[in-house]
Amino acid sequence: MPTAEPEHRVALDAHGSDGRPGVEVAAAILAAEAALGVDLVGDRSRLEPALREALDARARAAKLDGPAREALEAAVAERVAIVHASQEIAMDESPARAVRAKPEASLCVAIARARGGGPCVGAVSAGNSGALLAAGTMGLGRYAGVDRPAILTAIPQVTHGAKDEGSRGDSRASSTAAGPSTLLLDAGANVRCRPLNLVQFAVLGAVHASARAGREAGARPRVAVLANGTEAGKGTELTRTTHDLLSAHSSPSFEFVGYVEPAQLFGPACDVAVTDGWTGNITLKVAEAAMAAWPQLLREALRGNPLPAPARSALAAVRGRVDPNAHGGAPLVGVDGTLIICHGASEPRALVHAVNLAGRYARAKIGEASREALAAHRELFAAASSQRLGRSQRQ
Amino acid sequence: MPTAEPEHRVALDAHGSDGRPGVEVAAAILAAEAALGVDLVGDRSRLEPALREALDARARAAKLDGPAREALEAAVAERVAIVHASQEIAMDESPARAVRAKPEASLCVAIARARGGGPCVGAVSAGNSGALLAAGTMGLGRYAGVDRPAILTAIPQVTHGAKDEGSRGDSRASSTAAGPSTLLLDAGANVRCRPLNLVQFAVLGAVHASARAGREAGARPRVAVLANGTEAGKGTELTRTTHDLLSAHSSPSFEFVGYVEPAQLFGPACDVAVTDGWTGNITLKVAEAAMAAWPQLLREALRGNPLPAPARSALAAVRGRVDPNAHGGAPLVGVDGTLIICHGASEPRALVHAVNLAGRYARAKIGEASREALAAHRELFAAASSQRLGRSQRQ
């Protein structure tokens, strides 16, 4: 059974998630079944028995015996490699200090494997997000033209309200397996940002939007600034300055469409929305919480009345579409390499999605595209560098 | 048919909503049926025929004839008064300038009627929110001890997740007709805030939480600061300074419970969450958009399969619970009087809810309670006044 793309191995930090290392081990097996190659990075003395146990569990759950079981074992033997790392970073450690003090931490070893020239095309971890930011930035370095890396997240485009009717139908092509989505960045790496950071996020976000599956070649992604309304007087000094910079410098790689307000993130108003990491993180967390609340509300309102089968499966489909576990995994963009950050509470399938995403970026040559796009926006960055927010205007 | 509380008249700006003045006129009739007294403030030459037409429409819709129709007419004649205002503020006018230039605007006249000693206990408008803030602050003045008024909004507490298990069940008493909720402020009045503003919001929010229906007497509301996580290192300089001030000064009127993160707003972790008006507005708008997206997603997933009756009514119940139109109306707090701000897209029932809320505040003597609480926190405010955010730390 030949692997589809044997060169696209991904390093998976085995000691990141809340359910570590069991969740990561189970993810590695699922990935192997999906023909993805994984370096499972962690404590070999724990991972070897865990992998054997998880194989047994998987075979039982999928009722595999005889040749099917052997095929699974062969796939895992061929595609999953355990790479030893002698240290672990705990959730409560000071991120930057832990990363410096523990070069042999599973996270750091995984990222080192994804460095240019390394055996892996990317790294995936569900660990301490502060440590991930520090290890990713230090371990991979930044592209020239990037001051701060950002976390990029995808918000499903689920509404087609009146507000969005003016948008260009032909550009609605950014999509996940679960449907089109809006890329939002920064979703939490930088609590404070200045206009230079946001215009860099615009360039990086557009590269990612262009690389998304299903996108028409040549259609420039539409980039917007997230604000509290679309009128000219809305926003903060940060959003207004960013708006003016992006309006004044036309881009070869994206079309700037102005402000979007939060509701428009859930529709086709833009392909990429840029914001500071505080606002982006609050937006992401509120959206997840509100989406997660609905099924619970519906269950309460049903008061024990069962839903019929078609309604149950529709509900499951919706949950799958909005569940961060189903399409979890947010890349850290701006670093010179691929690092996918997953929720601490990730389930195995979320990690498999992240492994798959890292392979997708490699196939799309997202590094080359990012370098080219950054180089093509030097004038914009120079103009933005001179923009600093006044004391009374900082947001 | 005697009015229950004839002294509690509320001034309703008839030229505020997107559907003005028809929506406001229909709301006045519904309010009269619910034994609420309304001063409908606007252009008499338009409102008189509109009121007659709306009465006819209401009588037809409710199939009222003979004595029932006469009773409705009597209720409206007794409880709805048209108060003439010769000007109107448009959505696109510069708010502060419009309020100064048009003292006879329906919004300004409505607010003047709700001033201390005026004939109304409060004013309600679905107009230009900038104009509402300006007219409310100028027309009503601020309480001593309030530097900036804030918009207060209620987020339904719909989840009971693991994160909330540590919270005190006995304090889950803040509630709307639709169930318990978390009061969030500032939801949009002040894009930039300093720690002094946030600690004042804490005091004002606690007064409102204490006055909510169903609350146990003596149970102190739990107040939190909204942040991007609950760990000590999270937040911004603004949230950290506010956190430290509220930790260091114990309050006679509320219990400070530290940080809450966005997901906890939807559960019983706290009764009041304070934040700056930028973050609060983004939070509110993302929550509304995400909540509104769900039924649409479910409809798409059902692909035309009808829901059975119990599921349909459960779905309708959930929509009612999360729909801002159903329990719309956010008070501007910190001003010396009651002003309820409604969505521009409000339906009549949302305005009736707002009229009802204004009466509730009057019965709860929220003005007296606010003045007392503000006076009891002078030390906290003095400590907060000296806290200014550094140039590099402003958020």
Side-chain angles (χ1 to χ4, degrees), chain A residues 82 92 106 113 149 176 179 185 200 240 251 305:
Chain A
I82 292 176
D92 56 355
S106 55
R113 294 183 79 74
T176 60
L185 70 168
Q200 291 173 353
R240 283 190 291 269
S251 162
N305 282 311

PDB file of all heavy atoms in Angstrom, chain A residues 82 92 106 113 149 176 179 185 200 240 251 305:
ATOM      1  N   ILE A  82       7.677   7.029  15.799  1.00  0.00           N
ATOM      2  CA  ILE A  82       7.812   7.673  17.102  1.00  0.00           C
ATOM      3  C   ILE A  82       9.178   8.347  17.157  1.00  0.00           C
ATOM      4  O   ILE A  82      10.201   7.731  16.867  1.00  0.00           O
ATOM      5  CB  ILE A  82       7.657   6.652  18.244  1.00  0.00           C
ATOM      6  CG1 ILE A  82       6.200   6.152  18.264  1.00  0.00           C
ATOM      7  CG2 ILE A  82       8.033   7.284  19.587  1.00  0.00           C
ATOM      8  CD1 ILE A  82       5.927   5.061  19.274  1.00  0.00           C
ATOM      9  N   ASP A  92       0.848  25.164  32.871  1.00  0.00           N
ATOM     10  CA  ASP A  92       0.979  26.324  33.767  1.00  0.00           C
ATOM     11  C   ASP A  92       2.391  26.925  33.764  1.00  0.00           C
ATOM     12  O   ASP A  92       2.691  27.811  34.547  1.00  0.00           O
ATOM     13  CB  ASP A  92       0.567  25.919  35.190  1.00  0.00           C
ATOM     14  CG  ASP A  92       1.376  24.731  35.703  1.00  0.00           C
ATOM     15  OD1 ASP A  92       2.181  24.189  34.913  1.00  0.00           O
ATOM     16  OD2 ASP A  92       1.196  24.356  36.868  1.00  0.00           O
ATOM     17  N   SER A 106       8.764  18.063  23.779  1.00  0.00           N
ATOM     18  CA  SER A 106       8.132  17.474  22.589  1.00  0.00           C
ATOM     19  C   SER A 106       7.716  18.566  21.606  1.00  0.00           C
ATOM     20  O   SER A 106       7.877  18.409  20.387  1.00  0.00           O
ATOM     21  CB  SER A 106       6.923  16.633  23.014  1.00  0.00           C
ATOM     22  OG  SER A 106       6.024  17.405  23.786  1.00  0.00           O
ATOM     23  N   ARG A 113      11.600  19.741  13.665  1.00  0.00           N
ATOM     24  CA  ARG A 113      11.485  18.837  12.516  1.00  0.00           C
ATOM     25  C   ARG A 113      10.793  19.502  11.340  1.00  0.00           C
ATOM     26  O   ARG A 113      10.916  19.054  10.202  1.00  0.00           O
ATOM     27  CB  ARG A 113      10.744  17.554  12.908  1.00  0.00           C
ATOM     28  CG  ARG A 113      11.510  16.717  13.915  1.00  0.00           C
ATOM     29  CD  ARG A 113      10.795  15.415  14.227  1.00  0.00           C
ATOM     30  NE  ARG A 113      10.979  14.395  13.189  1.00  0.00           N
ATOM     31  CZ  ARG A 113      12.103  13.723  12.993  1.00  0.00           C
ATOM     32  NH1 ARG A 113      13.164  13.957  13.742  1.00  0.00           N
ATOM     33  NH2 ARG A 113      12.176  12.816  12.033  1.00  0.00           N
ATOM     34  N   PRO A 149       3.987  37.348  14.088  1.00  0.00           N
ATOM     35  CA  PRO A 149       3.132  36.288  13.546  1.00  0.00           C
ATOM     36  C   PRO A 149       1.713  36.406  14.139  1.00  0.00           C
ATOM     37  O   PRO A 149       1.532  37.034  15.185  1.00  0.00           O
ATOM     38  CB  PRO A 149       3.802  34.995  14.019  1.00  0.00           C
ATOM     39  CG  PRO A 149       5.170  35.393  14.488  1.00  0.00           C
ATOM     40  CD  PRO A 149       5.057  36.805  14.956  1.00  0.00           C
ATOM     41  N   THR A 176     -13.776  25.441   3.273  1.00  0.00           N
ATOM     42  CA  THR A 176     -13.231  24.265   3.928  1.00  0.00           C
ATOM     43  C   THR A 176     -14.044  23.109   3.415  1.00  0.00           C
ATOM     44  O   THR A 176     -14.968  23.293   2.632  1.00  0.00           O
ATOM     45  CB  THR A 176     -13.428  24.343   5.442  1.00  0.00           C
ATOM     46  OG1 THR A 176     -14.839  24.415   5.679  1.00  0.00           O
ATOM     47  CG2 THR A 176     -12.751  25.570   6.021  1.00  0.00           C
ATOM     48  N   GLY A 179     -17.606  23.857   3.933  1.00  0.00           N
ATOM     49  CA  GLY A 179     -18.260  24.986   3.277  1.00  0.00           C
ATOM     50  C   GLY A 179     -17.370  26.202   3.307  1.00  0.00           C
ATOM     51  O   GLY A 179     -16.290  26.184   3.886  1.00  0.00           O
ATOM     52  N   LEU A 185      -7.854  36.990  11.250  1.00  0.00           N
ATOM     53  CA  LEU A 185      -6.576  37.044  11.959  1.00  0.00           C
ATOM     54  C   LEU A 185      -6.322  38.489  12.408  1.00  0.00           C
ATOM     55  O   LEU A 185      -6.809  39.408  11.740  1.00  0.00           O
ATOM     56  CB  LEU A 185      -5.412  36.503  11.105  1.00  0.00           C
ATOM     57  CG  LEU A 185      -4.904  37.294   9.887  1.00  0.00           C
ATOM     58  CD1 LEU A 185      -3.581  36.686   9.420  1.00  0.00           C
ATOM     59  CD2 LEU A 185      -5.882  37.336   8.741  1.00  0.00           C
ATOM     60  N   GLN A 200       0.185  43.735   7.511  1.00  0.00           N
ATOM     61  CA  GLN A 200       0.914  42.472   7.253  1.00  0.00           C
ATOM     62  C   GLN A 200      -0.048  41.279   7.346  1.00  0.00           C
ATOM     63  O   GLN A 200       0.013  40.345   6.540  1.00  0.00           O
ATOM     64  CB  GLN A 200       2.079  42.317   8.231  1.00  0.00           C
ATOM     65  CG  GLN A 200       3.203  43.331   7.973  1.00  0.00           C
ATOM     66  CD  GLN A 200       4.293  43.314   9.037  1.00  0.00           C
ATOM     67  OE1 GLN A 200       4.178  42.630  10.061  1.00  0.00           O
ATOM     68  NE2 GLN A 200       5.356  44.080   8.800  1.00  0.00           N
ATOM     69  N   ARG A 240      -9.085  52.654  11.842  1.00  0.00           N
ATOM     70  CA  ARG A 240      -9.178  53.744  10.851  1.00  0.00           C
ATOM     71  C   ARG A 240      -7.853  53.926  10.104  1.00  0.00           C
ATOM     72  O   ARG A 240      -7.832  54.104   8.897  1.00  0.00           O
ATOM     73  CB  ARG A 240      -9.605  55.054  11.530  1.00  0.00           C
ATOM     74  CG  ARG A 240     -11.105  55.088  11.847  1.00  0.00           C
ATOM     75  CD  ARG A 240     -11.557  56.470  12.295  1.00  0.00           C
ATOM     76  NE  ARG A 240     -11.022  56.837  13.596  1.00  0.00           N
ATOM     77  CZ  ARG A 240     -11.639  56.607  14.764  1.00  0.00           C
ATOM     78  NH1 ARG A 240     -12.820  56.002  14.787  1.00  0.00           N
ATOM     79  NH2 ARG A 240     -11.096  56.972  15.892  1.00  0.00           N
ATOM     80  N   SER A 251      -3.339  46.675  -3.854  1.00  0.00           N
ATOM     81  CA  SER A 251      -2.534  45.464  -3.690  1.00  0.00           C
ATOM     82  C   SER A 251      -2.600  44.590  -4.930  1.00  0.00           C
ATOM     83  O   SER A 251      -3.677  44.439  -5.517  1.00  0.00           O
ATOM     84  CB  SER A 251      -3.056  44.677  -2.483  1.00  0.00           C
ATOM     85  OG  SER A 251      -2.593  43.344  -2.532  1.00  0.00           O
ATOM     86  N   ASN A 305     -38.785  15.533  24.533  1.00  0.00           N
ATOM     87  CA  ASN A 305     -39.356  15.040  23.277  1.00  0.00           C
ATOM     88  C   ASN A 305     -38.229  14.657  22.344  1.00  0.00           C
ATOM     89  O   ASN A 305     -37.333  15.456  22.096  1.00  0.00           O
ATOM     90  CB  ASN A 305     -40.192  16.131  22.596  1.00  0.00           C
ATOM     91  CG  ASN A 305     -41.550  16.288  23.249  1.00  0.00           C
ATOM     92  OD1 ASN A 305     -42.254  15.307  23.463  1.00  0.00           O
ATOM     93  ND2 ASN A 305     -41.898  17.521  23.577  1.00  0.00           N
TER      94      ASN A 305
END
